[in-house]
Short mmCIF file of all heavy atoms in Angstrom, two decimals:
data_model
loop_
_atom_site.label_atom_id
_atom_site.label_comp_id
_atom_site.label_asym_id
_atom_site.label_seq_id
_atom_site.Cartn_x
_atom_site.Cartn_y
_atom_site.Cartn_z
N THR P 1 84.86 147.69 23.04
CA THR P 1 85.38 148.17 24.47
C THR P 1 86.51 147.42 24.86
O THR P 1 86.97 147.47 25.97
CB THR P 1 84.53 148.58 25.46
OG1 THR P 1 83.78 147.28 25.86
CG2 THR P 1 83.38 149.62 25.06
N TRP P 2 86.89 146.37 24.05
CA TRP P 2 88.00 145.51 24.45
C TRP P 2 89.32 146.28 24.50
O TRP P 2 89.60 147.09 23.67
CB TRP P 2 88.15 144.38 23.44
CG TRP P 2 87.13 143.35 23.51
CD1 TRP P 2 86.04 143.12 22.65
CD2 TRP P 2 86.98 142.29 24.65
NE1 TRP P 2 85.34 142.06 22.97
CE2 TRP P 2 85.76 141.56 24.21
CE3 TRP P 2 87.56 142.14 25.72
CZ2 TRP P 2 85.35 140.50 25.04
CZ3 TRP P 2 87.20 141.02 26.54
CH2 TRP P 2 86.06 140.30 26.17
N ARG P 3 90.14 145.98 25.54
CA ARG P 3 91.42 146.65 25.65
C ARG P 3 92.18 145.82 26.61
O ARG P 3 91.84 144.86 27.07
CB ARG P 3 91.24 148.04 26.21
CG ARG P 3 90.61 148.02 27.43
CD ARG P 3 90.49 149.53 28.08
NE ARG P 3 89.52 149.56 29.25
CZ ARG P 3 90.02 149.16 30.54
NH1 ARG P 3 91.14 148.76 30.66
NH2 ARG P 3 89.15 149.32 31.62
N MET P 4 93.55 146.16 26.52
CA MET P 4 94.40 145.56 27.57
C MET P 4 94.12 146.09 28.97
O MET P 4 93.73 147.16 29.16
CB MET P 4 95.90 145.88 27.25
CG MET P 4 96.38 145.27 25.96
SD MET P 4 97.87 145.92 25.34
CE MET P 4 99.04 145.61 26.63
N PRO P 5 94.38 145.30 30.10
CA PRO P 5 93.95 145.65 31.37
C PRO P 5 94.96 146.69 31.92
O PRO P 5 96.18 146.57 31.55
CB PRO P 5 93.99 144.41 32.26
CG PRO P 5 94.92 143.45 31.48
CD PRO P 5 94.69 143.81 30.00
N THR P 6 94.54 147.55 32.89
CA THR P 6 95.54 148.48 33.49
C THR P 6 96.24 147.62 34.76
O THR P 6 95.74 146.46 35.03
CB THR P 6 94.72 149.61 34.06
OG1 THR P 6 93.84 149.16 35.09
CG2 THR P 6 93.96 150.33 33.05
N LYS P 7 97.27 148.24 35.18
CA LYS P 7 97.93 147.61 36.38
C LYS P 7 96.86 147.48 37.53
O LYS P 7 96.88 146.51 38.20
CB LYS P 7 99.07 148.50 36.84
CG LYS P 7 99.77 147.93 38.08
CD LYS P 7 100.79 148.93 38.62
CE LYS P 7 101.48 148.40 39.90
NZ LYS P 7 102.46 149.38 40.28
N ALA P 8 95.96 148.49 37.70
CA ALA P 8 95.01 148.51 38.76
C ALA P 8 94.01 147.29 38.69
O ALA P 8 93.62 146.56 39.61
CB ALA P 8 94.25 149.77 38.83
N GLU P 9 93.72 146.98 37.38
CA GLU P 9 92.77 145.90 37.04
C GLU P 9 93.41 144.52 37.28
O GLU P 9 92.79 143.60 37.66
CB GLU P 9 92.10 146.15 35.56
CG GLU P 9 91.10 147.22 35.52
CD GLU P 9 90.98 147.79 34.21
OE1 GLU P 9 91.75 147.37 33.21
OE2 GLU P 9 90.10 148.60 34.03
N CYS P 10 94.83 144.45 36.91
CA CYS P 10 95.51 143.21 37.23
C CYS P 10 95.61 142.98 38.77
O CYS P 10 95.46 141.92 39.18
CB CYS P 10 96.90 143.31 36.64
SG CYS P 10 96.90 143.28 34.79
N ALA P 11 95.83 144.21 39.43
CA ALA P 11 95.85 143.99 40.96
C ALA P 11 94.61 143.53 41.51
O ALA P 11 94.51 142.82 42.43
CB ALA P 11 96.27 145.38 41.56
N GLU P 12 93.43 144.07 40.94
CA GLU P 12 92.06 143.69 41.41
C GLU P 12 91.88 142.17 41.27
O GLU P 12 91.31 141.50 42.00
CB GLU P 12 91.09 144.55 40.75
CG GLU P 12 89.63 144.20 41.15
CD GLU P 12 88.62 144.91 40.22
OE1 GLU P 12 88.73 144.95 38.99
OE2 GLU P 12 87.64 145.41 40.79
N LEU P 13 92.36 141.75 39.96
CA LEU P 13 92.20 140.33 39.79
C LEU P 13 93.00 139.37 40.73
O LEU P 13 92.62 138.37 41.20
CB LEU P 13 92.74 139.97 38.32
CG LEU P 13 92.46 138.64 37.78
CD1 LEU P 13 91.00 138.46 37.34
CD2 LEU P 13 93.31 138.28 36.52
N LEU P 14 94.04 139.90 41.27
CA LEU P 14 94.96 139.13 42.09
C LEU P 14 94.34 139.28 43.58
O LEU P 14 94.32 138.21 44.16
CB LEU P 14 96.39 139.74 42.26
CG LEU P 14 97.30 139.53 41.08
CD1 LEU P 14 98.42 140.46 41.13
CD2 LEU P 14 97.78 138.18 41.00
N ASP P 15 93.84 140.47 43.89
CA ASP P 15 93.37 140.77 45.31
C ASP P 15 91.96 140.08 45.56
O ASP P 15 91.73 139.64 46.75
CB ASP P 15 93.42 142.23 45.65
CG ASP P 15 94.81 142.78 45.59
OD1 ASP P 15 95.75 142.01 45.73
OD2 ASP P 15 94.88 143.98 45.45
N LYS P 16 91.07 140.12 44.57
CA LYS P 16 89.71 139.83 44.92
C LYS P 16 89.32 138.37 44.35
O LYS P 16 88.10 137.96 44.52
CB LYS P 16 88.79 140.84 44.24
CG LYS P 16 89.00 142.24 44.97
CD LYS P 16 88.01 143.21 44.40
CE LYS P 16 88.13 144.60 45.10
NZ LYS P 16 87.17 145.60 44.53
N CYS P 17 90.31 137.65 43.74
CA CYS P 17 89.89 136.39 43.25
C CYS P 17 90.67 135.24 43.93
O CYS P 17 91.64 135.52 44.51
CB CYS P 17 90.28 136.24 41.75
SG CYS P 17 89.16 137.45 40.74
N THR P 18 90.16 133.95 43.72
CA THR P 18 90.90 132.84 44.26
C THR P 18 91.65 132.26 43.13
O THR P 18 91.19 131.94 42.02
CB THR P 18 89.84 131.91 44.82
OG1 THR P 18 89.11 132.51 45.97
CG2 THR P 18 90.65 130.62 45.41
N TRP P 19 92.91 132.02 43.30
CA TRP P 19 93.89 131.43 42.27
C TRP P 19 94.22 129.99 42.65
O TRP P 19 94.76 129.69 43.79
CB TRP P 19 95.11 132.28 42.21
CG TRP P 19 94.89 133.63 41.61
CD1 TRP P 19 94.01 134.65 42.12
CD2 TRP P 19 95.40 134.20 40.38
NE1 TRP P 19 94.01 135.68 41.27
CE2 TRP P 19 94.96 135.48 40.27
CE3 TRP P 19 96.39 133.64 39.51
CZ2 TRP P 19 95.23 136.21 39.17
CZ3 TRP P 19 96.80 134.50 38.38
CH2 TRP P 19 96.29 135.79 38.24
N THR P 20 93.92 129.14 41.74
CA THR P 20 94.17 127.64 42.02
C THR P 20 94.91 127.00 40.89
O THR P 20 94.62 127.05 39.62
CB THR P 20 92.77 126.96 42.11
OG1 THR P 20 91.98 127.51 42.97
CG2 THR P 20 93.06 125.46 42.47
N TRP P 21 96.25 126.74 41.17
CA TRP P 21 97.11 126.13 40.11
C TRP P 21 96.52 124.79 39.59
O TRP P 21 96.07 124.00 40.35
CB TRP P 21 98.46 125.96 40.68
CG TRP P 21 99.54 125.34 39.80
CD1 TRP P 21 99.87 124.13 39.51
CD2 TRP P 21 100.26 126.26 38.80
NE1 TRP P 21 100.85 124.11 38.59
CE2 TRP P 21 101.05 125.33 38.09
CE3 TRP P 21 100.26 127.54 38.42
CZ2 TRP P 21 101.96 125.79 37.09
CZ3 TRP P 21 101.08 128.11 37.56
CH2 TRP P 21 101.90 127.25 36.81
N SER P 22 96.48 124.56 38.39
CA SER P 22 95.78 123.53 37.78
C SER P 22 96.55 123.03 36.39
O SER P 22 97.42 123.73 35.88
CB SER P 22 94.40 123.83 37.44
OG SER P 22 93.62 122.85 37.01
N ASN P 23 96.04 122.00 35.96
CA ASN P 23 96.39 121.57 34.62
C ASN P 23 95.28 121.22 33.79
O ASN P 23 94.44 120.50 34.14
CB ASN P 23 97.36 120.29 34.65
CG ASN P 23 97.88 119.94 33.25
OD1 ASN P 23 97.15 119.36 32.43
ND2 ASN P 23 99.17 120.21 33.05
N ARG P 24 95.00 121.99 32.60
CA ARG P 24 93.92 121.79 31.92
C ARG P 24 94.22 121.41 30.34
O ARG P 24 95.08 122.10 29.84
CB ARG P 24 93.03 123.04 31.93
CG ARG P 24 91.87 123.04 30.98
CD ARG P 24 91.10 124.27 31.00
NE ARG P 24 90.30 124.54 32.28
CZ ARG P 24 89.53 125.48 32.49
NH1 ARG P 24 89.24 126.37 31.54
NH2 ARG P 24 88.99 125.69 33.62
N SER P 25 93.88 120.28 29.98
CA SER P 25 94.33 119.67 28.59
C SER P 25 95.68 119.68 28.39
O SER P 25 96.25 119.93 27.38
CB SER P 25 93.53 120.60 27.56
OG SER P 25 92.19 120.57 27.70
N GLY P 26 96.43 119.26 29.49
CA GLY P 26 97.84 119.21 29.44
C GLY P 26 98.65 120.56 29.61
O GLY P 26 99.82 120.55 29.44
N VAL P 27 97.90 121.67 29.90
CA VAL P 27 98.50 123.01 29.91
C VAL P 27 98.38 123.44 31.52
O VAL P 27 97.42 123.45 32.09
CB VAL P 27 97.83 124.00 29.01
CG1 VAL P 27 98.35 125.37 29.16
CG2 VAL P 27 97.94 123.45 27.68
N ASN P 28 99.58 123.81 32.06
CA ASN P 28 99.68 124.38 33.42
C ASN P 28 99.17 125.83 33.34
O ASN P 28 99.30 126.55 32.42
CB ASN P 28 101.09 124.36 33.97
CG ASN P 28 101.59 122.92 34.29
OD1 ASN P 28 100.79 122.06 34.56
ND2 ASN P 28 102.82 122.81 34.15
N GLY P 29 98.61 126.14 34.46
CA GLY P 29 98.10 127.67 34.63
C GLY P 29 97.21 127.71 35.79
O GLY P 29 97.16 126.85 36.71
N TYR P 30 96.59 128.84 35.97
CA TYR P 30 95.68 129.06 37.14
C TYR P 30 94.23 129.21 36.72
O TYR P 30 93.91 129.83 35.64
CB TYR P 30 96.05 130.37 37.76
CG TYR P 30 97.15 130.39 38.81
CD1 TYR P 30 98.46 130.75 38.51
CD2 TYR P 30 96.93 129.77 40.05
CE1 TYR P 30 99.46 130.76 39.53
CE2 TYR P 30 97.90 129.81 41.05
CZ TYR P 30 99.15 130.12 40.80
OH TYR P 30 100.17 130.04 41.78
N ILE P 31 93.38 128.51 37.45
CA ILE P 31 91.88 128.77 37.51
C ILE P 31 91.85 129.96 38.38
O ILE P 31 92.02 129.77 39.54
CB ILE P 31 91.12 127.59 37.89
CG1 ILE P 31 91.33 126.39 36.91
CG2 ILE P 31 89.60 127.94 38.00
CD1 ILE P 31 90.79 125.07 37.30
N VAL P 32 91.17 131.10 37.90
CA VAL P 32 91.00 132.22 38.64
C VAL P 32 89.41 132.38 38.88
O VAL P 32 88.61 132.56 37.83
CB VAL P 32 91.47 133.56 37.87
CG1 VAL P 32 91.28 134.73 38.75
CG2 VAL P 32 93.11 133.41 37.57
N THR P 33 88.99 132.30 40.15
CA THR P 33 87.56 132.32 40.40
C THR P 33 87.28 133.74 41.11
O THR P 33 87.84 134.05 42.04
CB THR P 33 87.29 131.18 41.49
OG1 THR P 33 87.66 129.94 40.86
CG2 THR P 33 85.71 131.28 41.66
N GLY P 34 86.39 134.39 40.46
CA GLY P 34 85.89 135.70 40.89
C GLY P 34 84.94 135.65 41.95
O GLY P 34 84.38 134.63 42.31
N PRO P 35 84.54 136.76 42.67
CA PRO P 35 83.63 136.87 43.62
C PRO P 35 82.23 136.40 43.17
O PRO P 35 81.32 135.97 43.97
CB PRO P 35 83.49 138.31 43.97
CG PRO P 35 84.87 138.97 43.66
CD PRO P 35 85.32 138.09 42.42
N SER P 36 82.02 136.44 41.85
CA SER P 36 80.66 136.00 41.24
C SER P 36 80.57 134.47 41.13
O SER P 36 79.52 133.94 41.03
CB SER P 36 80.47 136.55 39.98
OG SER P 36 81.43 135.98 38.96
N GLY P 37 81.84 133.81 41.33
CA GLY P 37 81.83 132.31 41.27
C GLY P 37 82.22 131.92 39.82
O GLY P 37 82.46 130.82 39.59
N ASN P 38 82.28 132.91 38.84
CA ASN P 38 82.57 132.48 37.55
C ASN P 38 84.20 132.39 37.48
O ASN P 38 84.93 132.92 38.39
CB ASN P 38 82.22 133.54 36.51
CG ASN P 38 80.61 133.54 36.39
OD1 ASN P 38 79.95 132.55 36.50
ND2 ASN P 38 80.12 134.66 36.01
N THR P 39 84.70 131.83 36.45
CA THR P 39 86.14 131.51 36.43
C THR P 39 86.75 131.76 35.01
O THR P 39 85.90 131.81 34.00
CB THR P 39 86.53 129.99 36.73
OG1 THR P 39 85.91 129.28 35.77
CG2 THR P 39 85.94 129.60 38.09
N ILE P 40 87.99 132.02 35.02
CA ILE P 40 88.80 132.06 33.79
C ILE P 40 89.99 131.18 34.06
O ILE P 40 90.37 130.93 35.18
CB ILE P 40 89.16 133.44 33.34
CG1 ILE P 40 90.09 134.22 34.41
CG2 ILE P 40 87.92 134.38 32.96
CD1 ILE P 40 90.56 135.46 34.01
N PHE P 41 90.52 130.74 32.98
CA PHE P 41 91.81 130.01 33.02
C PHE P 41 92.94 130.84 32.29
O PHE P 41 92.91 131.10 31.19
CB PHE P 41 91.74 128.58 32.32
CG PHE P 41 92.98 127.82 32.43
CD1 PHE P 41 93.38 127.18 33.45
CD2 PHE P 41 93.78 127.74 31.22
CE1 PHE P 41 94.46 126.43 33.60
CE2 PHE P 41 94.90 126.86 31.24
CZ PHE P 41 95.24 126.28 32.56
N LEU P 42 94.03 131.06 33.06
CA LEU P 42 95.20 131.63 32.69
C LEU P 42 96.45 130.76 32.43
O LEU P 42 96.91 130.19 33.38
CB LEU P 42 95.63 132.84 33.56
CG LEU P 42 94.78 134.10 33.71
CD1 LEU P 42 95.21 135.03 34.72
CD2 LEU P 42 94.58 134.78 32.42
N PRO P 43 96.74 130.42 31.17
CA PRO P 43 97.79 129.46 31.08
C PRO P 43 99.15 130.11 31.35
O PRO P 43 99.39 131.27 31.15
CB PRO P 43 97.65 129.04 29.53
CG PRO P 43 96.98 130.23 28.91
CD PRO P 43 96.07 130.79 29.90
N ALA P 44 100.12 129.17 31.74
CA ALA P 44 101.39 129.65 32.12
C ALA P 44 102.15 129.80 30.76
O ALA P 44 102.81 128.89 30.18
CB ALA P 44 102.26 128.68 32.80
N SER P 45 102.11 130.95 30.20
CA SER P 45 102.43 131.27 28.77
C SER P 45 103.97 131.65 28.58
O SER P 45 104.42 131.59 27.52
CB SER P 45 101.66 132.55 28.33
OG SER P 45 101.88 133.58 29.27
N GLY P 46 104.66 131.90 29.72
CA GLY P 46 106.09 132.17 29.55
C GLY P 46 106.19 133.51 28.88
O GLY P 46 105.33 134.36 28.72
N GLN P 47 107.41 133.73 28.25
CA GLN P 47 107.67 134.99 27.38
C GLN P 47 108.74 134.69 26.36
O GLN P 47 109.39 133.61 26.38
CB GLN P 47 108.00 136.09 28.27
CG GLN P 47 109.42 135.98 28.98
CD GLN P 47 109.75 137.30 29.78
OE1 GLN P 47 108.88 138.09 30.25
NE2 GLN P 47 110.95 137.42 30.19
N ARG P 48 108.86 135.67 25.54
CA ARG P 48 109.72 135.57 24.37
C ARG P 48 110.79 136.71 24.39
O ARG P 48 110.39 137.76 24.49
CB ARG P 48 109.10 135.48 23.08
CG ARG P 48 108.27 134.21 22.98
CD ARG P 48 107.38 134.11 21.58
NE ARG P 48 106.63 132.95 21.55
CZ ARG P 48 107.06 131.78 21.18
NH1 ARG P 48 108.32 131.53 20.84
NH2 ARG P 48 106.17 130.75 21.09
#
């Protein structure tokens, strides 16, 4: 059931989580903390 997120799911990630700018292993990005307390790290990936 893996897939790309919808716009609504991206908006939910923005609206319902805490975003903390961080550097992890030399890589800039955001630690995103959800209502459950669990986290993911989104690196600043840029684009091509």
